[in-house]
Amino acid sequence: MNGSLPVPAGGRELVDVSPVLDGELVDYGPNVRRGSWRQRFTSWWRRSPRVPAVLKSRRLVVQAVRDLVVWLLRSPWRFVGAVVRGLVVAARWWRQWVRVSDYREAAEQSEKLADKFTDIRALTLFRWKVTAAVVGGSAVTLAVLDLIYGNRALWIIGAVVSVGLAVLGRRKDGSPGRKPVLAGPRTLTWTMDPQVLVDAFRDAKLIGKDESLRLVERATRVGDGWAITVDLPATRKAGDVIKNREALASALAVDEVQLIVERVRGNGGHAGRVSMWVADVDPYASPPVRTPLLGVARWDAWRPAPFGRDARDRRIDLPLVWTSLLVGAIPRQGKTFAARLAAAGLILDPHTRLYVADFKSGKDWYAAAQVAHRFMSGDESEHVLTLVDWLVELVSEVQGRYRRMQDLDDLVCPESKITPDMSRDPVLDMPITAIFIDEVQVPLENRTPVEVEGKKLTAGEYVGELLTWLARKGPAAGIVLVLATQRPDSKTIPSNLRAVLGSRFALRVMDWRDSNIVLGEQMNTRGYDSSRLLASHKGVGILRPDGETEAGADVLAMTVRTFYMPNEDWRTICQQGRALREAERTLTGYAAGQDTRPVLDHAAVAKAIGEGTSAAIEPSAPEELPEPLASVVDYLSDELNGREFVPTAELVDALGVEPTTFGRQMGDLGCRPTRERITTDDGVRQVRGYLVANIRTAAKTSRSAATDSH
């Protein structure tokens, strides 16, 4: 709106002022046209599709210049090698020609070699004479040319013949007269010749014989290895390359631990774009690196904790707040070290509260008693019951925090989630609280009977339900669960608990099934199988993070070598954490000499965890089901909700039944077998088996029929 408005001036007197403009400020950004010619040229150079990608980046230009220099230095030796190979190829040609090999092979195939022997011998003598005449004529011709034109003619003829021999002897499978010994190139020469990489993809059956790759970024030096980005042919997926990483590593003649394959996500990627990095040597053969937390005065629990390094030597930090962590491995692979690395960052934050339960009953966690709000070490039933009290206390704590959040204004608590300021406010009393349980299979397998609200169940079942509830609802209230086990199997860790644990770290395990228990279903079919890790690689595992890491926010999983933190470093960090808590006056519970028994309200907790506890308190008894369905349900146990398919051979072997009779009985109970493709140690195979959903339906139908009959 434009106009003259009256305004008061010096009392009642009104005067006219200049027009007032009412509008909206629009920022169009910097005016590129006003820039210098150099800015316009730079903008055009970076955006123009006519300029090669290698010339748009200073790093790529430098690498291209280096490649050119190396190529020029290697060219004389490569030319000499090609000439020598050309001589060999030419000699083979001449030998086959002079021996009349084609005529001889045709006669052998027609079984008329004896009849044609005279003709073959005559033709062989004739070709020897032709050879002698050509050699003699060539010698006379060279002598005449040398006499007329001097040495210059000989040099020209020699150069032409050398070039011809070099072309004939070039390194290319299928060249005339050559028969490749190997299926394809098996060296890292792909860094100089991208065609070698294409051949490797073909050998690994990742692309067809008539398909090729499109080079997005040529091979460049990154760290102690080479990196390259390629686009696969249409309809080919990066996920298939990741899944078949071992075959590609074989085609490139490197160990699979040296090969990192990732899909490029985001605006610069798509389902067929692959980023590869190949290490010069085994990246995990060097001595381990000590944790960087030794060099810091304190840490912020809201920052991801330093966890380890990947093969490309990138530091991988592990987010802990708003998530949970499961660590699984066979003994002596670094499981406890990994869990302590997650604890170290929280220990160095004086505003965190720690619960530590060590069911290994050793020295590994003993130093944490200096900072822990609650601490326990032992593997007896009394220790399991103490853990039950802790978990009941934490469930009540989570309920109380959510109730207090309802009374906070939106500035303090904008959502129903804890914030950094809330976790450090002593008035609110909502610190980040982490519970670490080492050898979690001990309490989960405990059969001590307990009674909750008049209903009986085992302590292990109750612990499983409490942990599941905390993993599901606790993170938003500032509760962090870190569970470690050396028995990652379906009977030890319930499937409903595994399903709600955000981050997973699988060190070396016995087979792909155990790896999937830790990392998640079908992770081995995606190329992540911790049973393939080498026994010599201590502390190396596959990390599936719940949050962004240095490798990117969209990375599904990665192989990580954890930092090294021996007992002396662990004790140092715990002592430093205690000093920080004493300075901030946040030392509580066991560490402060106030290890009081928690006030428990089992009724409220049982109501909070709801139907999950009821299901655990009143399990469906397998004996109510007819055989062999009862044995199948008992064998699958918690996997009834975690697996999708179970092979018939696995059930027959586990139950010790006769296959034909077993199949007939299962069919009578409503379970019909089907065929599915599964991944085994020998690859992907189609096997016969049963869908677990059908087994659940049959069990439900049988129980309903039994109830109606009663």
Side-chain angles (χ1 to χ4, degrees):
M1 183 176 64
N2 187 352
S4 300
L5 299 177
V7 299
R12 301 178 180 177
E13 186 177 356
L14 299 177
V15 297
D16 290 336
V17 298
S18 59
V20 177
L21 302 179
D22 184 12
E24 181 182 357
L25 177 62
V26 179
D27 185 6
Y28 290 99
N31 191 348
V32 179
R33 295 184 178 181
R34 295 182 180 179
S36 64
W37 65 270
R38 182 177 299 177
Q39 294 175 338
R40 294 197 300 271
F41 176 77
T42 301
S43 176
W44 170 84
W45 183 271
R46 293 178 177 176
R47 298 173 182 271
S48 175
R50 299 181 179 86
V51 179
V54 70
L55 299 179
K56 295 182 179 181
S57 170
R58 179 183 181 87
R59 178 176 58 86
L60 295 178
V61 170
V62 172
Q63 185 63 47
V65 172
R66 291 177 179 175
D67 293 344
L68 178 61
V69 172
V70 173
W71 181 84
L72 292 175
L73 294 176
R74 293 180 57 189
S75 293
W77 306 105
R78 296 178 63 186
F79 181 79
V80 172
V83 171
V84 173
R85 290 192 299 272
L87 284 172
V88 174
V89 172
R92 289 176 179 174
W93 273 8
W94 171 80
R95 186 170 179 270
Q96 292 177 355
W97 177 78
V98 80
R99 294 181 69 249
V100 200
S101 297
D102 51 348
Y103 195 6
R104 187 187 299 273
E105 291 175 359
E108 289 177 351
Q109 293 177 359
S110 61
E111 298 181 353
K112 296 181 179 180
L113 182 61
D115 299 337
K116 301 294 183 179
F117 181 77
T118 303
D119 296 341
I120 292 174
R121 182 175 178 81
L123 185 56
T124 301
L125 292 174
F126 172 74
R127 290 185 175 182
W128 272 105
K129 292 177 182 179
V130 171
T131 300
V134 170
V135 172
S138 299
V140 172
T141 302
L142 290 175
V144 172
L145 291 175
D146 180 59
L147 183 63
I148 297 175
Y149 298 104
N151 295 335
R152 182 174 58 182
L154 298 180
W155 282 106
I156 294 175
I157 294 174
V160 172
V161 173
S162 298
V163 172
L165 291 174
V167 173
L168 186 63
R170 66 191 184 279
R171 287 188 180 273
K172 185 176 181 182
D173 292 342
S175 296
R178 296 192 65 204
K179 189 174 182 179
V181 179
L182 300 176
R186 299 176 60 82
T187 63
L188 289 179
T189 53
W190 59 269
T191 58
M192 298 297 300
D193 185 2
Q195 181 61 37
V196 178
L197 184 63
V198 175
D199 294 338
F201 269 78
R202 291 173 179 168
D203 294 338
K205 304 292 191 297
L206 297 174
I207 61 176
K209 293 183 178 180
D210 299 329
E211 295 178 326
S212 186
L213 304 174
R214 189 176 74 86
L215 193 63
V216 179
E217 289 186 8
R218 65 176 294 113
T220 56
R221 191 72 179 167
V222 177
D224 294 330
W226 292 87
I228 192 170
T229 303
V230 297
D231 276 349
L232 300 174
T235 73
R236 299 284 182 174
K237 296 180 292 185
D240 295 332
V241 180
I242 298 174
K243 181 167 52 178
N244 296 281
R245 181 173 60 95
E246 185 176 356
L248 181 58
S250 175
L252 291 172
V254 296
D255 192 277
E256 55 265 32
V257 299
Q258 296 177 239
L259 175 62
I260 305 298
V261 182
E262 298 173 350
R263 174 186 167 184
V264 181
R265 305 294 297 266
N267 294 331
H270 54 80
R273 179 162 293 182
V274 176
S275 173
M276 296 172 49
W277 185 82
V278 182
D280 300 332
V281 294
D282 184 352
Y284 307 116
S286 58
V289 180
R290 286 200 168 186
T291 174
L293 288 177
L294 286 173
V296 300
R298 61 192 296 161
W299 194 258
D300 185 355
W302 290 83
R303 292 178 57 190
F307 192 69
R309 291 189 174 275
D310 65 359
R312 300 175 67 168
D313 202 33
R314 296 176 297 189
R315 195 177 99 172
I316 303 300
D317 295 342
L318 181 65
L320 290 175
V321 179
W322 290 344
T323 186
S324 50
L325 173 65
L326 172 64
V327 181
I330 59 177
R332 295 178 299 279
Q333 291 299 315
K335 163 182 56 64
T336 302
F337 273 60
R340 292 196 314 194
L341 284 168
L346 301 176
I347 289 174
L348 292 179
D349 186 340
H351 298 283
T352 60
R353 185 177 295 167
L354 303 179
Y355 287 60
V356 178
D358 178 17
F359 286 96
K360 185 186 294 184
S361 188
K363 296 176 58 177
D364 295 330
W365 290 92
Y366 188 73
Q370 304 175 69
V371 294
H373 178 71
R374 298 205 181 275
F375 180 83
M376 174 181 58
S377 179
D379 57 359
E380 303 295 334
S381 294
E382 60 184 85
H383 298 101
V384 176
L385 296 178
T386 300
L387 176 64
V388 170
D389 292 343
W390 290 6
L391 297 178
V392 171
E393 178 187 27
L394 286 174
V395 171
S396 301
E397 172 70 15
V398 171
Q399 290 179 292
R401 291 188 181 189
Y402 280 127
R403 285 193 297 267
R404 297 200 299 275
M405 287 181 188
Q406 296 177 358
D407 300 330
L408 299 176
D409 58 53
D410 292 341
L411 294 178
V412 177
C413 182
E415 302 176 9
S416 294
K417 292 181 180 180
I418 194 170
T419 65
D421 292 336
M422 291 169 59
S423 67
R424 298 187 182 97
D425 190 341
V427 176
L428 295 178
D429 191 25
M430 297 185 187
I432 297 297
T433 302
I435 177 168
F436 294 84
I437 307 177
D438 199 357
E439 305 297 352
V440 70
Q441 76 276 357
V442 174
L444 288 173
E445 293 178 341
N446 189 272
R447 310 301 296 175
T448 302
V450 297
E451 186 173 330
V452 181
E453 292 302 292
K455 297 181 179 180
K456 295 181 179 180
L457 68 162
T458 65
E461 292 171 337
Y462 196 28
V463 167
E465 291 296 329
L466 291 169
L467 288 176
T468 301
W469 191 92
L470 285 172
R472 184 181 293 120
K473 299 196 67 175
I479 307 299
V480 179
L481 264 68
V482 179
L483 310 179
T485 178
Q486 64 177 356
R487 291 174 57 185
D489 56 69
S490 58
K491 293 184 177 180
T492 297
I493 305 178
S495 59
N496 55 347
L497 173 58
R498 299 196 310 268
V500 292
L501 294 173
S503 297
R504 319 285 185 87
F505 185 59
L507 295 114
R508 183 169 171 265
V509 295
M510 293 305 297
D511 60 24
W512 60 271
R513 298 177 186 86
D514 294 340
S515 178
N516 283 351
I517 291 297
V518 181
L519 296 176
E521 290 294 330
Q522 305 298 320
M523 285 295 289
N524 65 314
T525 64
R526 304 183 189 183
Y528 303 103
D529 184 358
S530 64
S531 67
R532 296 183 177 273
L533 297 173
L534 299 181
S536 58
H537 290 164
K538 302 294 184 182
V540 177
I542 298 176
L543 175 65
R544 187 178 182 182
D546 182 15
E548 186 174 355
T549 64
E550 183 65 24
D554 300 316
V555 175
L556 177 63
M558 69 197 82
T559 302
V560 177
R561 184 180 192 177
T562 58
F563 288 119
Y564 181 59
M565 187 170 60
N567 284 335
E568 55 268 22
D569 294 348
W570 169 244
R571 287 193 293 267
T572 300
I573 288 177
C574 290
Q575 292 169 2
Q576 187 174 348
R578 182 180 180 88
L580 290 171
R581 281 165 172 76
E582 289 175 344
E584 296 284 345
R585 297 182 179 180
T586 56
L587 199 65
T588 60
Y590 186 93
Q594 304 168 357
D595 190 21
T596 57
R597 184 178 179 84
V599 179
L600 305 178
D601 187 356
H602 286 282
V605 170
K607 182 179 179 181
I609 59 180
E611 296 180 357
T613 302
S614 300
I617 293 174
E618 299 179 327
S620 300
E623 57 268 20
E624 296 178 359
L625 300 174
E627 291 291 347
L629 187 58
S631 298
V632 171
V633 171
D634 184 45
Y635 168 72
L636 292 175
S637 185
D638 294 319
E639 289 188 324
L640 277 174
N641 298 319
R643 294 181 65 174
E644 298 179 358
F645 178 79
V646 55
T648 301
E650 179 183 340
L651 293 176
V652 169
D653 182 63
L655 304 179
V657 296
E658 198 277 323
T660 304
T661 305
F662 175 75
R664 184 178 63 254
Q665 292 174 339
M666 290 292 286
D668 294 340
L669 294 171
C671 286
R672 301 291 180 182
T674 184
R675 289 188 176 273
E676 292 285 339
R677 298 178 66 85
I678 66 171
T679 301
T680 66
D681 295 336
D682 300 327
V684 179
R685 295 192 301 115
Q686 190 174 36
V687 300
R688 195 174 183 83
Y690 297 89
L691 294 174
V692 178
N694 292 344
I695 295 176
R696 290 198 302 266
T697 302
K700 183 177 180 180
T701 302
S702 298
R703 290 193 182 102
S704 299
T707 302
D708 295 339
S709 65
H710 290 304

